[in-house]
Every structure is written in structure tokens, then in C-alpha cells.
Amino acid sequence: MTPREGGTLPQISSLRGGATLAIISADLDVKCALARDTARRWHERRLSLRSPLDPPLPDRPGRPAKPELVPPKAVGKRSLHTLPGRVAMLHALAHIELNAVDLALDIVARFAAEPVPHSFFDGWMRVADEEAKHFGLVRDRMRALGADYGDMPAHDGLWQAAHSTRNDLTARLAVVPLILEARGLDVTPSLQEKMRETGDLESAEVLRIIYEDEKGHVSVGAKWFRFLCAREKKDPAATFKELVRVNFRGALKAPFNDVARAEAGLTPSFYRSLTSTSNG
Ligand SMILES: [Fe+2]
Ligand SMILES: [Fe+2]
């Protein structure tokens, strides 16, 4: 990614401008470099929050021609005990990380005019930066295994979740960090363990790094979700349940990683009654 840094990235007008340009970019190297560069400059306090020169935010993020996007059910199950199975798992993970880059940037760009402290944007730009790092780590690992992102179809469910919460920051935080990213905390440890059992220690290490960072992402989500609820004098757990019922299709899947979730500020009172086996 370094050759593009500094010289050939498009001009960034502000934090919102940089985030928007990264979302628009269909070149994934440019997208990730822009996300990381914007994060660095924002954290160094070299960017304003918004500028009249910021490009308009698109409805959908820029993406390359491949992978083909298909309905979630059309993406098959995979065994990690074969190389194609591991590659398919890494491909699905790369796709999740890429969506996560756009989702974090979208929170920043779309809600840049919300009356929230600047530290709100610090948190989400750290998330965007780490998601771009994750995408790069997974993609590098795929390339080391002779594959690449784009080789197989991927599903389009994650962006759908974002789109349905585009007008409500509290709902967006309920769905993106507190459902989708928290799900990562539930499934990653066992995936990491299985990867280690197959002897693919490099992929297991990538999963370990992602897992450690994702705890922080859920924690940023929970912190600001609670902040917005407190400001509105609403009960966070009850508000979460209400927003999930309206904005998220389907039940949450147990088992939950209660310890990691609680450490991030997401206590069982939020999600227990939303599982498929409960009438809650
Ligand atoms: Fe990630
Ligand atoms: Fe994340």
C-alpha cells in the first residue's frame, strides 16, 4: 500500500471528505490507504470534521467487479480441513473486513453533523483503520495460499443492515457494532482453535489479531450507544431490544461469548431475550 501513500491519493478536504472518498473508491488498495491515511491525519489533528468541499456520500460503497455478490444463503459451508475450505473461509472473512471498513467510515461520514464529542470520531476512525489493517492481513494470507479476494462469490447482507439504519445513529450502533461485530466475538475463538488444529498457524495468528481488535470495536459501539441512550434518558438494554426488533431481521444466534461481550460493555440484559429459542 505504501506506493500510493502521500503522492497519489486523492486530496482530502476533511475527515468526512476522506471517509467519503474511501467509501466511494472501488480500488481496494486506494480505499484502505485512504481509510488509514484519513485516520492518521484525523488523530494528528490535521483535519477538520467537515468541509463544504466534501463529496456526497454514496448509497453503496465502491467495489471492484469481483467478487460477485450473491444472497447470503448461496454462499456454501466449508470444512477447514482442506486448503480450498480454508481459502473459502478466509475469503468470507476478507469480505466481512472489507464491509467493516466501509461500515466504520459510513458511521463517521454519515453522522459527521451529529452533536457528539470529537472522541466519537476518534473511536470510529480507529475502528476504520483497524478494519483496513484486517482486510490487508487476510488478503495477504490468501495470496500466500495462492488465492485472492474476488476469486469466489460473496454475500451482500452486511451492507443491507447498514442501509436500513442510515437515518438513525442509535439504531446504526445497535445493529453494526452491537450485533454484527459482537457476533465476531462469539465465533472467532473457535474458528481460531480449528485453524490451529489444521496446522495453519499463520491464518490462526491473523484470526487472533482480529479477535483482539474486535473486542475494542464492540467496546466503542457499546460506549457510544450508552452515551446516546443516556442523553435521551433511555434505558440502554430496552432501547437496544426495541431497535433490533425494528431494524434487524432474524434472531441472534447463541452461544454467546458472554465474557468478551461483557468486557466490551455488552451485558446479557441486552441480547439474552433476542435469541431464537426465547420468547423474550
Ligand atoms: Fe475487523
Ligand atoms: Fe470490527
Side-chain angles (χ1 to χ4, degrees):
M1 237 168 275
T2 30
R4 280 199 163 99
E5 272 171 18
T8 53
L9 287 178
Q11 189 91 36
I12 297 170
S13 45
S14 70
L15 174 68
R16 182 177 63 183
T20 305
L21 283 175
I23 293 169
I24 291 170
S25 181
D27 178 322
L28 301 183
D29 288 339
V30 172
K31 184 190 289 291
C32 290
L34 266 171
R36 305 203 73 175
D37 196 47
T38 304
R40 184 173 50 79
R41 287 168 61 181
W42 171 253
H43 287 126
E44 290 169 2
R45 299 293 179 249
R46 288 161 57 204
L47 289 175
S48 63
L49 182 53
R50 302 185 301 268
S51 152
L53 301 174
D54 296 341
L57 191 59
D59 265 354
R60 290 187 62 81
R63 289 299 164 78
K66 286 192 160 184
E68 181 197 351
L69 296 178
V70 296
K73 292 221 163 61
V75 180
K77 287 255 176 222
R78 43 224 157 219
S79 157
L80 296 186
H81 291 282
T82 65
L83 178 62
R86 286 204 300 285
V87 165
M89 194 285 280
L90 289 169
H91 193 279
L93 185 59
H95 187 65
I96 289 170
E97 298 299 344
L98 178 61
N99 273 283
V101 174
D102 285 318
L103 288 168
L105 294 169
D106 192 80
I107 289 175
V108 169
R110 190 171 300 277
F111 300 102
E114 286 277 323
V116 286
H118 273 215
S119 54
F120 173 88
F121 301 102
D122 294 349
W124 290 110
M125 285 315 291
R126 197 189 85 215
V127 173
D129 181 59
E130 288 176 350
E131 304 298 12
K133 177 186 84 178
H134 296 167
F135 178 72
L137 284 171
V138 180
R139 190 170 205 183
D140 286 350
R141 185 62 198 137
M142 291 191 76
R143 285 173 171 164
L145 293 172
D148 201 357
Y149 179 67
D151 286 355
M152 50 196 81
H155 72 77
D156 198 27
L158 292 170
W159 194 258
Q160 291 292 327
H163 189 71
S164 62
T165 57
R166 66 194 176 283
N167 297 319
D168 181 346
L169 177 58
T170 315
R172 171 64 63 87
L173 297 186
V175 171
V176 174
L178 300 188
I179 293 186
L180 300 177
E181 293 199 281
R183 175 86 185 133
L185 298 186
D186 303 334
V187 299
T188 314
S190 67
L191 209 53
Q192 198 185 317
E193 195 45 49
K194 278 184 207 146
M195 204 52 112
R196 200 170 288 122
E197 280 165 19
T198 69
D200 187 342
L201 301 182
E202 290 89 347
S203 298
E205 174 60 11
V206 169
L207 288 166
R208 188 193 64 77
I209 294 168
I210 290 176
Y211 178 66
E212 290 306 320
D213 288 345
E214 293 302 333
K215 289 183 199 168
H217 301 183
V218 177
S219 159
V220 170
K223 172 184 164 178
W224 291 108
F225 183 82
R226 287 175 184 277
F227 170 90
L228 294 172
C229 289
R231 200 170 65 183
E232 305 279 308
K233 300 194 169 33
K234 286 179 175 168
D235 174 69
T239 307
F240 177 76
K241 282 181 231 178
E242 212 176 285
L243 290 171
V244 170
R245 287 201 183 100
V246 176
N247 294 290
F248 188 74
R249 285 184 184 183
L252 307 193
K253 281 183 212 144
F256 299 106
N257 184 343
D258 290 321
V259 174
R261 283 169 169 257
E263 278 170 5
L266 191 57
T267 44
S269 61
F270 277 68
Y271 55 84
R272 273 281 170 236
S273 63
L274 293 168
T275 56
S276 44
T277 50
S278 164
N279 301 319

